């Protein structure tokens, strides 16, 4: 039976188990004088039986799915004659692929490859058997579990407590997915990064301090212009330049908008302007990328030409400026939160001493809100550093080390995307370099976020 | 001390009055800066929308050329429409070419003919095939049909009398198009292809239906996985978690994950789902898994806020009636918090719909012509389709890209409006 069908059958069995368990509790309660003599409500007896029916079989199914394929391929490989036993891992993968193709009928085995077609038959046979065994095992486990759960139903059974323990563990497991995700991120980038640094042509210091970035690896030794050097400094410089431009746009505009909305605007203006500004945050980044690449960049180029400036058509200014527009609502809503959290008494005190509104804002509210604003700005910086689509579409690929905003620069995220789009070879430093860059990005944004979240939280507690 | 007493006394109020004008000016300036900032933000919004709309509105119309087409058996190589082999090899392009030659009999040189043939799209031949298959009686007959024009002709036709034309057409092609215009034999019709077809290398045949369906499958998986998991996690953290280091760690983790750059999730998807679990690349299923991990923090955070908003009196009342903590949550807190959770999830889904960076890494950038029919078919999603078209050199794709953006934004606006509506309608103030 196909696994999908198996799951459907299992679901049906769980439903039956629920009704049987529930029915049994009613039957047991009747002679005692109604369900109030049961320990728990009938629902819980049913649920208890259903849990016994499905949990063990689901665990088996999961384990099977994990270990099924490796075991079968191992058996098939060890059954091959000595002469064609693969020597290396790469050979083994090739051979397995070939057997796989023969087994599925996509390829015909060559005349001299009797052993391979035998292996393919064996593979098919083993898979079929495995599927049958799995079906039988799962179904019998479900029946046995269900029966066991059904037999356990008795007026004294604390079914509710048991069901609730299972529920609660499920909830806990769901909460732990967040931790698993973080672990997954850390492990996946760290492992590939270690593999990256184990190549001879890359060193950690060369990566962090090197000033030349050209990740193309020479295929032939005498190939020109393909040095394969991994010095990431130009990428860092480019990322910082674009993020800086974005911040120059976003921080003043966002901050002043927040101050105006929180302190000056009447409720009507506030209730229209705020959601309108927040539309900017909801627009997908790919749209900003398109806008930057096809509208802003040519506009800046023409503007520069009319002033006699040489503006690159993939200038950092276009990408950074548009990114800044994207971040405006992010800064303004965070700043708005912290400004409105400043107690009214501080405003009243300052105004009572004769300060104008702007003086109150500049001398009292702003200093009081500063930690929160700094936290918000740092979150915005981390957004800018990690932003991908705008720079992929509007910034260039040339790894220039320049602080000139009219020039083309490239960023860490652009390089990650470029290195991983298309063919990925996980045995070449070119592909793995993307993971090393990803690790850098993750660490930097993590530190920024941790610091920012802590500041914001501390600040909130101060006035709560 | 004595000097001061002799000088005319300047009281505090005088000092204040002297500076008042300057201070009021500063006040006005400051206020103006605030208004300018908001104005700048709104201006950016308006410019963005008008730019996209002005670029994309043309894509909803497509040029068609009127031609007299003869389903000539000899040209087609089809003598029996029911013979599948003949139909499979049938030369419908030849028929289109013949029709073009008949319309412009003056064209004779080989090179000119080649340019002439470029007036009609490849899609014209597909259309003829469909017509003939539907109605075998047509074989040998002559019909006057509106056939799909090539993208360059389309772009040129749309710019006649308007802005400057930039594109790849020769002078002759332009002259022919002009003569078609004069004879009223070219016109704009609603571009049905754009809404019903998958991707194509030919801009006039490219549509967003494939990407839209891919997005639909992806979002379906994301919703099915992230909503229950997110709500369950939120319930645990809000109602059951003991205050200890472990739950603190989970909390910090979730807040952090919400701020991790989306591209990192792409790396995770590539390393874990594709390389480790061998999930099929380029499919909605792997995209949905990655987006699930990405939207989970958003959903957890908003669900927790919704649970927190349920007043403790409800819990206490339920407890007082003898409900167990689990019953309190499932029977009372959860239903009351549901509107808030739904709103948060819709916003999370809207985010997932617009996300493209992590999907570039797990193969969603593949060129997929077929419209996906299931969650494990190769597919692409709307934002990635936009990225792919934005990268295409053909001029006509600019229009298509903007139109696809308009469709994407329409979906996003619809989802956000729904969220706002739900919030207004269902959320209770206690």
């Amino acid at each position: 039976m196909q696994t999908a069908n198996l799951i459907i059958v299992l679901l049906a069995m769980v439903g039956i188990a629920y009704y049987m368990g529930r029915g049994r509790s009613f039957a047991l309660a009747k002679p005692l004088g109604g369900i109030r003599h049961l320990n728990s409500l009938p629902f819980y007896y049913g649920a208890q039986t259903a849990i016994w029916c499905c949990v063990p079989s689901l665990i088996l199914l999961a384990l099977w799915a994990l270990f099924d394929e490796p075991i079968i391929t191992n058996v098939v490989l060890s059954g091959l004659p000595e002469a064609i036993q693969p020597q290396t891992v790469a050979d083994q993968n090739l051979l397995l692929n070939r057997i796989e193709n023969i087994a599925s009928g996509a390829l015909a085995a060559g005349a001299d490859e009797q052993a391979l077609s035998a292996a393919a038959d064996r593979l098919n046979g083993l898979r079929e058997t495995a599927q049958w065994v799995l079906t039988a095992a799962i179904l019998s486990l479900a029946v046995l579990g269900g029966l066991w759960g059904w037999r356990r139903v008795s007026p004294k059974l604390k079914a509710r407590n048991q069901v609730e323990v299972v529920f609660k563990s499920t909830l806990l497991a769901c909460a732990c997915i967040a931790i698993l995700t973080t672990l997954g991120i850390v492990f996946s980038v760290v492992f590939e990064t270690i593999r990256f640094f184990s190549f001879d042509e890359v060193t950690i210091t060369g990566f962090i301090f090197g000033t030349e970035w050209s990740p193309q690896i020479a295929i032939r030794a005498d190939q020109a212009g393909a040095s394969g050097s991994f010095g990431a400094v130009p990428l860092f410089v480019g990322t910082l330049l674009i993020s800086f431009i974005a911040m120059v746009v976003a921080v003043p505009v966002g901050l002043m908008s927040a101050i105006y909305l929180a302190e000056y605007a009447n409720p009507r203006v506030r209730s229209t302007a705020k959601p309108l500004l927040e539309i900017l945050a909801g627009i997908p980044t790919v749209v900003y990328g398109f806008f930057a690449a096809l509208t802003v960049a040519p506009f800046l180029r023409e503007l520069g030409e009319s002033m006699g400036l040489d503006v690159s058509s993939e200038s950092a200014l276009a990408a950074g400026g548009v990114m800044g527009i994207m971040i405006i609502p992010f800064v303004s809503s965070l700043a708005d939160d912290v400004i409105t959290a400043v107690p009214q008494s501080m405003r009243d005190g300052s105004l009572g001493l004769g300060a104008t509104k702007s003086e109150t804002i500049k001398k009292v509210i702003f200093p009081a809100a500063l930690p929160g604003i700094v936290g918000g700005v740092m979150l915005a910086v981390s957004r800018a550093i990690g932003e991908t689509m705008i720079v992929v579409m509007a910034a260039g690929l040339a790894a220039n080390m320049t602080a000139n905003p009219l020039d083309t620069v490239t960023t860490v995220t652009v390089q990650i995307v470029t290195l991983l789009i298309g063919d990925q070879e996980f045995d070449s430093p070119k592909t793995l370099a993307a993971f090393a860059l990803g690790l850098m990005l993750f660490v930097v944004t993590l530190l920024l976020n941790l610091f920012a979240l802590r500041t914001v939280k501390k600040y909130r507690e101060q006035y709560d | 001390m004595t000097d001061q007493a002799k000088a005319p006394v300047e009281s505090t109020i005088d000092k204040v009055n002297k500076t008042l004008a300057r201070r009021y000016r500063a006040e006005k300036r400051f206020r103006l800066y605030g208004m300018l900032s908001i104005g700048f933000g709104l201006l950016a919004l308006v410019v963005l929308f008008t730019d996209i709309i002005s670029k994309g509105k043309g894509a909803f119309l497509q040029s068609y050329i009127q031609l007299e087409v003869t389903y000539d058996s000899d040209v087609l190589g089809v003598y029996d429409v029911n013979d599948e082999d003949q139909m499979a090899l049938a030369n419908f392009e030849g028929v289109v070419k013949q029709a073009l030659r008949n319309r412009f009999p003056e064209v004779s040189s080989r090179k000119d003919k080649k340019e002439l043939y470029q007036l009609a799209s490849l899609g014209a031949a597909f259309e003829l095939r469909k017509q003939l298959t539907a109605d075998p009686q047509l074989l040998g007959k002559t019909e006057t049909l509106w056939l799909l024009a090539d993208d360059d002709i389309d772009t040129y036709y749309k710019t006649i009398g308007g802005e400057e034309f930039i594109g790849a057409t020769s002078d002759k092609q332009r002259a022919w198009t002009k003569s078609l215009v004069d004879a009223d034999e070219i016109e704009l019709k609603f571009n049905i292809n754009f809404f019903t077809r998958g991707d194509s290398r030919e801009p006039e045949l490219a549509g967003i239906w494939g990407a839209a369906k891919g997005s639909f499958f992806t979002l379906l998986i994301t919703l099915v996985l992230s909503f229950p998991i997110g709500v369950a996690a939120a319930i645990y953290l809000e109602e059951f978690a003991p205050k200890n280091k472990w739950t603190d760690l989970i909390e910090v983790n979730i807040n952090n994950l919400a701020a991790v750059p989306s591209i990192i999730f792409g790396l995770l998807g590539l390393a874990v789902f594709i390389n480790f679990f061998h999930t099929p690349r380029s499919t909605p299923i792997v995209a949905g898994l990655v987006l699930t991990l990405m939207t989970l923090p958003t959903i957890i955070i908003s669900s927790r806020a919704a649970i927190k908003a349920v007043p403790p009196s409800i819990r206490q009342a339920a407890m007082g009636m003898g409900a167990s903590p689990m019953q309190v949550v499932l029977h009372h807190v959860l239903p009351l918090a549901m509107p808030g959770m739904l709103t948060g999830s819709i916003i999370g889904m809207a985010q997932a719909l617009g996300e493209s960076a992590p999907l570039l890494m797990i193969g969603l950038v593949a060129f997929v012509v077929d419209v996906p029919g299931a969650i494990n078919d190769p597919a692409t999603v709307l934002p990635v389709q936009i990225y792919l078209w934005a990268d295409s050199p053909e001029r006509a794709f600019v229009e298509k890209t903007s139109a696809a953006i308009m469709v994407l934004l329409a979906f996003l606006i619809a989802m956000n409006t729904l969220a706002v509506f739900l919030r207004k309608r269902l959320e209770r103030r206690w």
Side-chain angles (χ1 to χ4, degrees), chain B residues 30-323:
Chain B
F30 192 72
R31 221 182 140 129
L32 185 69
Y33 293 153
M35 277 150 103
L36 283 180
S37 301
I38 292 184
F40 177 79
L42 296 182
L43 181 73
L45 189 68
V46 170
V47 169
L48 183 71
F49 272 83
T50 35
D51 180 53
I52 301 283
I53 292 174
S54 68
K55 277 199 177 116
K57 63 179 190 301
F60 296 110
L61 296 172
Q62 185 76 42
S63 309
Y64 284 77
I65 305 176
Q66 192 181 38
L67 286 176
E68 282 203 0
V69 181
T70 309
Y71 293 95
D72 191 330
S73 290
D74 292 332
V75 179
L76 282 173
V78 175
Y79 301 93
D80 175 13
V81 179
N82 297 322
D83 185 343
E84 279 182 21
D85 289 342
Q86 279 186 13
M87 281 300 277
L89 293 171
N91 182 11
F92 284 98
E93 277 168 50
V95 173
V96 177
K97 286 177 182 171
Q98 193 190 37
L100 282 167
R101 276 200 307 271
N102 292 342
R103 174 65 183 76
F104 297 99
E106 71 277 11
V107 180
S108 55
S109 86
R110 209 180 145 81
K111 194 168 151 274
D112 287 354
K113 274 187 191 164
K114 215 171 161 188
E115 281 182 11
L116 178 65
Y117 297 154
Q118 283 168 3
L119 289 187
S121 155
L122 279 177
F126 298 146
E127 182 59 31
L128 292 184
R129 178 186 295 274
K130 229 163 77 186
Q131 300 264 353
L132 187 61
T133 321
D135 183 9
Q137 300 294 323
L138 287 174
L139 192 65
K141 287 192 184 139
T142 302
E143 292 253 298
T144 307
L145 290 174
W146 285 100
L147 292 180
L148 192 58
D150 188 65
D151 57 304
D152 288 320
I153 304 302
D154 178 55
T155 324
Y156 174 63
Y157 177 52
K158 282 175 185 161
T159 54
I160 287 181
E163 64 220 273
E164 189 194 354
F165 170 69
I166 324 153
T169 49
S170 67
D171 292 340
K172 281 183 186 138
Q173 284 173 334
R174 262 171 278 175
W176 291 325
T177 315
K178 279 250 170 71
S179 77
L180 283 172
V181 175
D182 294 338
D184 264 344
E185 285 172 9
I186 180 166
E187 78 177 25
L188 291 173
K189 292 173 184 252
F190 179 68
N191 186 2
I192 191 87
N193 281 335
F194 184 69
F195 293 101
T196 54
R197 298 183 65 109
D199 197 7
S200 169
R201 297 267 185 240
E202 305 292 328
E204 72 274 13
L205 292 178
I208 53 164
W209 182 236
K213 242 180 137 184
S215 270
F216 170 75
F217 285 131
T218 306
L219 276 197
L220 190 71
I221 294 169
T222 312
L223 182 66
V224 164
L225 290 176
S226 63
F227 184 67
I229 296 178
V231 168
I235 291 176
Y236 182 80
L237 292 175
E238 223 27 74
E239 300 282 336
F240 296 108
K243 269 268 159 246
N244 60 21
K245 277 198 170 157
W246 183 246
T247 42
D248 276 355
L249 182 70
I250 296 182
E251 274 213 62
V252 173
N253 237 305
I254 290 172
N255 288 334
N256 252 315
L257 278 180
V260 165
S262 59
I263 189 171
I264 300 281
F265 286 94
L267 292 177
L268 168 78
L270 180 60
V272 174
F273 293 130
I274 291 189
N275 280 353
F276 189 73
F277 287 116
H278 297 290
T279 320
R281 188 185 282 269
S282 308
T283 52
I285 193 162
V286 66
L289 285 171
V290 168
L291 291 181
T292 298
L293 295 184
M294 229 189 73
T295 43
L296 259 183
T298 318
I299 294 185
I300 295 178
I301 291 171
S302 63
S303 300
R304 287 186 68 174
I307 294 174
K308 237 184 228 154
V310 176
S313 55
I314 304 264
R315 292 184 186 82
Q316 285 152 5
M319 293 276 206
M321 297 301 288

Side-chain angles (χ1 to χ4, degrees), chain A residues 119-309:
Chain A
D121 287 343
R122 211 176 141 84
L123 186 68
N124 279 338
L126 277 175
R127 277 200 184 141
E128 205 168 309
T129 328
Q131 199 63 43
W132 275 115
V133 173
L134 176 67
T135 309
I138 295 285
L139 293 186
S140 45
L141 198 58
V143 169
L144 284 179
L147 276 180
W148 166 249
W150 182 75
R151 279 201 35 136
R152 289 181 76 228
V153 174
S154 75
K156 285 216 173 67
L157 179 73
K158 292 186 172 173
R160 200 201 73 217
N161 305 42
Q162 292 178 358
V163 170
E164 286 185 352
V165 166
V166 175
F167 268 30
K168 214 165 141 180
S169 328
T170 318
L171 297 184
L172 175 63
C174 288
C176 287
I177 286 185
I179 294 207
L180 284 183
T181 311
T182 310
L183 280 183
I185 290 176
V186 171
F187 278 117
S188 54
V189 290
V190 165
F191 275 138
E192 307 293 352
T193 307
I194 291 172
R195 277 176 61 196
F196 171 64
F197 285 120
S198 66
F199 281 94
D200 292 337
E201 55 264 54
V202 277
T203 55
I204 294 182
T205 47
F207 178 73
I208 298 177
F209 300 112
T211 54
E212 199 191 325
W213 177 264
S214 57
Q216 300 304 326
I217 295 287
I219 298 171
R220 303 186 313 269
D222 57 341
Q223 195 173 325
S227 45
S229 57
F230 296 95
V233 172
L235 309 188
F236 301 151
V237 171
T239 308
L240 289 181
L241 177 63
I242 290 188
S243 306
F244 177 74
I245 296 170
M247 286 302 122
V248 166
V249 175
V251 172
V253 175
L255 209 53
M256 283 311 291
S257 313
I259 288 174
Y260 186 83
L261 287 177
E263 300 289 330
Y264 287 108
N266 62 31
R268 256 197 37 223
V269 173
R270 189 180 154 88
S271 62
T272 33
K274 204 171 144 80
L276 277 179
L277 269 187
E278 268 158 22
I279 292 181
L280 280 177
I283 293 175
T285 52
V286 67
V287 178
Y288 283 110
F290 176 77
F291 182 62
L294 274 100
T295 306
V296 178
F299 172 74
L300 287 178
R301 199 180 148 81
E302 273 169 31
L303 196 70
E305 261 170 18
S306 68
M307 293 191 300
L309 286 171

